[in-house]
């Protein structure tokens, strides 16, 4: 019967007579064809992925080659930038802030590193994470014991790097640590100290070679990329000489001196962490003088770091800026440099005033507002970000009692990290410039001393670009 069917061709299966490899290829082609009929268009997929947080977007990019190529293309970046601009007008994305870290000491106990997850705090699961040592149990709102676990790979380098170092700069996932001299080295006459780069995403650490220029001013990341794999770090001494370390070259560049210097030259003793404005090739430091417990001669030092002529200049603060702040203490702690919310502006200041937290934007100077000496006079505009009462009420007080101290700004998330002392409580909080809302991360008692507060962000564009080597 079977031979008869083969002779007349009835019931003949052509694929059954084919080699096994050929049958598998035919089956895979049929499966792929069936999938293409049910797959969403790539444009629609990009619209969906552009609305995801950083982690799901990276997972989608790793799902397939065609989708990964589209995500790495310019269309995806345009869609995401348009969504961020439509949401807050400044292009900030709060979801790109993935952690906040700080050291916490109490009385004579050695400090421990605490890491907060802002996304879980915003969702109600407010639990801090102890990275090293025994967790300090002096928290106003104690978390469950099961929450004592690390969320950042940076804990790998804590014992070897962070214990005897201080945080001096950060950007994206990179943190710069400066080694504190101990023992005999503390009496060494060489003012240079070892700098170490930590990647909080991978836990990798890199000890930089000694620079010829002393880092009298806090270092500045001129550029970062590849999820922290590439970077340029600038150091500057008190004579305003600069030197830049490039991760691609693995060495420090030539020493460059300023061709124009301000008068008088700013003192780096109490200089704050800098703001880098890439589109202007400029780095800004807030430089105060502290005399008798008060702030004096508070100004901004602007340094051009482009390939052309290098110059340094002073920018005076708005005349009535300090008068709106509390008159006691170090007022410079209540001011932090920020990018300009306007494309025409040079930079802005976030200021903790008595009644509100405001943002002052430095606008381009016109010829009509020039001073007698010929240099243009600075013009500032002011807008309110949030009421101080709104922050104090979150702390359980209906009065303007909190003393605000700013510690950092996220360039991609638009989050301002600050510490607020309200009566017997120390608050670690985030002020989101995009939504103009304040999020309290943690409440500690008055005996706790948080220090070296640091933001950790993911630059989604650089993370996606670092996935290019997966493409075939």
């Amino acid at each position: 019967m079977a031979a008869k069917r083969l002779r007349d061709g009835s019931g003949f299966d052509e694929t059954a007579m084919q080699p096994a490899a050929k049958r598998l290829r035919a089956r895979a082609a049929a499966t792929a064809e069936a999938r293409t009929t049910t797959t969403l268009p790539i444009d629609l997929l990009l619209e969906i992925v552009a609305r995801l947080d950083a982690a799901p977007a990276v997972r989608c990019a790793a799902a397939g080659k065609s989708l990964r190529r589209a995500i790495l293309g310019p269309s995806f970046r345009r869609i995401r930038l348009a969504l961020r601009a439509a949401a807050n007008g400044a292009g900030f994305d709060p979801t790109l802030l993935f952690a906040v870290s700080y050291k916490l000491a109490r009385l004579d106990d050695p400090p421990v590193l605490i890491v907060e997850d802002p996304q879980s705090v915003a969702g109600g699961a407010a639990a801090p994470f102890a990275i090293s040592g025994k967790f300090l149990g002096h928290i106003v709102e104690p978390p469950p014991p099961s929450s004592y676990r690390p969320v950042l790979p940076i804990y790998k380098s804590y014992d070897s790097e962070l214990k005897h170092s201080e945080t001096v700069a950060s950007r994206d996932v990179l943190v710069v640590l400066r080694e504190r001299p101990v023992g005999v080295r503390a009496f060494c006459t060489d003012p240079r100290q070892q700098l170490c780069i930590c990647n909080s995403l991978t836990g990798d650490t890199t000890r930089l070679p000694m620079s010829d220029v002393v880092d009298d001013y806090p270092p500045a990341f001129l550029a970062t990329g590849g999820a922290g794999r590439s970077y340029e770090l600038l150091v500057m001494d008190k004579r305003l000489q600069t030197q830049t370390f490039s991760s691609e070259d693995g060495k420090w560049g030539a020493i460059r001196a300023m061709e124009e210097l301000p008068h008088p030259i700013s003192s780096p003793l109490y200089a704050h962490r800098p703001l880098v404005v890439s589109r202007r090739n400029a780095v800004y430091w807030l430089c105060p003088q502290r005399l008798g417990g008060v702030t004096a001669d508070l100004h901004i030092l602007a340094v051009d770091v482009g390939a052309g002529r290098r110059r340094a200049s002073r920018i005076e603060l708005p005349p009535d800026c300090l008068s709106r702040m509390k008159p006691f203490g170090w007022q410079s702690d209540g001011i932090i440099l920020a990018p300009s919310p306007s494309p025409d502006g040079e930079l802005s200041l976030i200021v903790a005033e008595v009644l509100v937290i405001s943002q002052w934007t430095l606008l381009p100077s016109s010829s009509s507002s020039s001073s007698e000496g010929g240099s243009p006079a600075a013009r500032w505009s002011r807008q309110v970000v949030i009421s101080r009462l709104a922050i104090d009420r979150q702390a359980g007080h209906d009065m303007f009692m909190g003393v605000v101290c700013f510690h950092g700004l996220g360039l991609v998330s638009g989050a301002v990290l600050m510490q607020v002392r309200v009566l017997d409580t120390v608050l670690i909080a985030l002020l989101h410039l995009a939504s103009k809302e304040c999020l309290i991360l943690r409440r500690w008692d008055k005996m706790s001393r948080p220090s070296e507060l640091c933001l950790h962000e993911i630059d989604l564009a650089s993370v996606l670009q670092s996935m290019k080597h997966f493409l075939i």
Side-chain angles (χ1 to χ4, degrees):
M1 183 67 68
K4 183 179 179 181
R5 285 200 301 269
L6 289 175
R7 284 195 301 271
D8 59 14
S10 61
F12 178 75
D13 187 1
E14 184 178 356
T15 60
M17 302 298 294
Q18 296 175 351
K22 192 172 183 179
R23 288 200 305 271
L24 290 176
R25 286 196 298 269
R27 188 179 303 169
T31 303
E33 183 179 358
R35 287 179 177 176
T36 56
T37 59
T38 58
T39 301
L40 295 174
I42 201 68
D43 294 341
L44 183 56
L45 287 175
L46 288 182
E47 291 286 347
I48 296 173
V49 177
R51 289 165 170 79
L52 298 177
D53 295 343
V58 173
R59 295 191 190 102
C60 289
K65 295 179 184 178
S66 58
L67 182 57
R68 182 159 60 245
R69 289 192 182 96
I71 292 176
L72 292 175
S75 298
F76 178 76
R77 290 194 294 270
R78 285 196 298 267
I79 295 173
R80 193 168 180 88
L81 286 174
L83 290 174
R84 288 162 57 182
N88 52 68
F92 294 129
D93 189 350
T95 62
L96 298 181
L97 175 65
F98 71 93
V100 172
S101 66
Y102 53 94
K103 291 183 180 179
L104 188 72
R106 179 179 173 85
L107 300 179
D108 296 329
D109 295 338
V112 296
L113 183 67
I114 305 296
V115 178
E116 307 277 3
D117 183 359
Q119 308 304 328
S120 67
V121 172
F129 303 83
I131 297 303
S132 179
K134 184 178 179 181
F135 188 84
L136 300 182
H138 305 285
I139 185 173
V140 176
E141 297 175 349
S146 61
S147 66
Y148 301 160
R149 56 185 177 85
V151 293
L152 277 183
I154 198 173
Y155 75 93
K156 298 178 182 178
S157 60
Y158 180 77
D159 289 334
S160 59
E161 302 295 345
L162 293 181
K163 278 187 176 180
H164 305 295
S165 303
E166 59 178 339
T167 303
V168 294
S170 65
R171 181 172 175 179
D172 296 341
V173 298
L174 297 179
V175 180
V176 182
L177 303 177
R178 180 193 290 140
E179 186 179 21
R180 290 194 186 99
V182 294
V184 178
R185 294 178 59 191
F187 301 95
C188 181
T189 57
D190 189 354
R192 298 179 301 171
Q193 301 299 335
Q194 179 75 52
L195 295 179
C196 180
I197 307 292
C198 291
N199 189 318
S200 57
L201 196 61
T202 63
D204 298 333
T205 59
T206 303
R207 284 179 170 267
L208 302 185
M210 285 293 188
S211 61
D212 298 322
V213 171
V214 181
D215 55 321
D216 292 322
Y217 285 84
F221 278 110
L222 300 183
T224 58
R229 292 182 177 88
S230 63
Y231 54 86
E232 292 182 357
L233 183 70
L234 177 137
V235 295
M236 188 170 69
D237 62 14
K238 58 185 177 183
R239 294 183 295 175
L240 306 189
Q241 295 183 123
T242 64
Q243 196 172 14
T244 303
F245 179 86
S246 172
S247 60
E248 295 183 359
D249 300 333
K251 62 181 181 180
W252 292 95
I255 300 177
R256 301 191 62 179
M258 296 295 153
E259 300 180 20
E260 296 183 22
L261 295 174
H263 181 75
I265 295 180
S266 306
S267 172
L269 185 58
Y270 300 106
H272 292 207
R273 294 183 189 177
L275 170 70
V276 178
V277 181
S278 302
R279 60 186 176 86
R280 290 181 171 270
N281 291 323
V283 184
Y284 303 88
W285 284 268
L286 186 65
C287 298
Q289 293 288 343
R290 293 178 174 177
L291 303 175
V294 297
T295 300
D297 190 27
L298 183 58
H299 62 278
I300 301 170
L301 174 63
V303 175
D304 293 336
V305 293
R309 185 177 183 180
R310 291 205 168 189
R311 58 185 296 270
S313 59
R314 285 172 57 111
I315 300 177
E316 302 299 333
L317 268 61
D320 55 344
C321 174
L322 297 180
S323 63
R324 295 174 179 265
M325 304 176 66
K326 293 185 177 181
F328 53 85
W330 291 334
Q331 293 176 304
S332 60
D333 291 341
I335 302 177
I336 189 171
L337 301 176
S340 170
S342 170
D344 298 331
E346 183 173 352
L347 78 158
S348 66
L349 303 172
I350 307 299
V351 181
E353 301 179 7
V354 175
L355 301 180
V356 299
I357 292 181
S358 61
Q359 185 171 16
W360 298 71
T361 303
L362 179 60
L363 302 175
S365 301
S366 59
S367 58
S368 60
S369 60
S370 298
S371 60
E372 296 179 359
S375 60
R379 296 191 304 119
W380 297 86
S381 66
R382 175 182 174 271
Q383 62 177 354
V384 174
V385 177
I386 189 174
S387 168
R388 290 286 301 274
L389 185 59
I391 300 176
D392 287 347
R393 281 178 175 172
Q394 290 190 52
H397 301 280
D398 290 331
M399 46 188 156
F400 305 106
M401 294 292 295
V403 178
V404 175
C405 179
F406 294 120
H407 289 273
L409 170 72
L411 296 179
V412 294
S413 66
V416 179
L417 180 59
M418 59 185 184
Q419 176 181 330
V420 186
R421 290 189 174 271
V422 183
L423 296 181
D424 57 349
T425 305
V426 180
L427 307 178
I428 306 297
L430 288 173
L431 174 60
H432 290 288
L433 297 180
S435 60
K436 297 185 178 181
E437 297 178 349
C438 183
L439 173 67
I440 295 180
L441 295 179
R442 191 62 49 205
R443 292 177 171 89
W444 299 97
D445 62 19
K446 63 180 180 180
M447 303 302 295
S448 303
R449 299 192 305 273
S451 63
E452 301 182 33
L453 283 72
C454 185
L455 294 168
H456 303 269
E457 298 179 310
I458 295 179
D459 187 352
L460 184 58
S462 66
V463 172
L464 293 175
Q465 288 299 321
S466 66
M467 300 178 66
K468 276 190 172 182
H469 64 277
F470 291 107
L471 295 174
I472 300 177

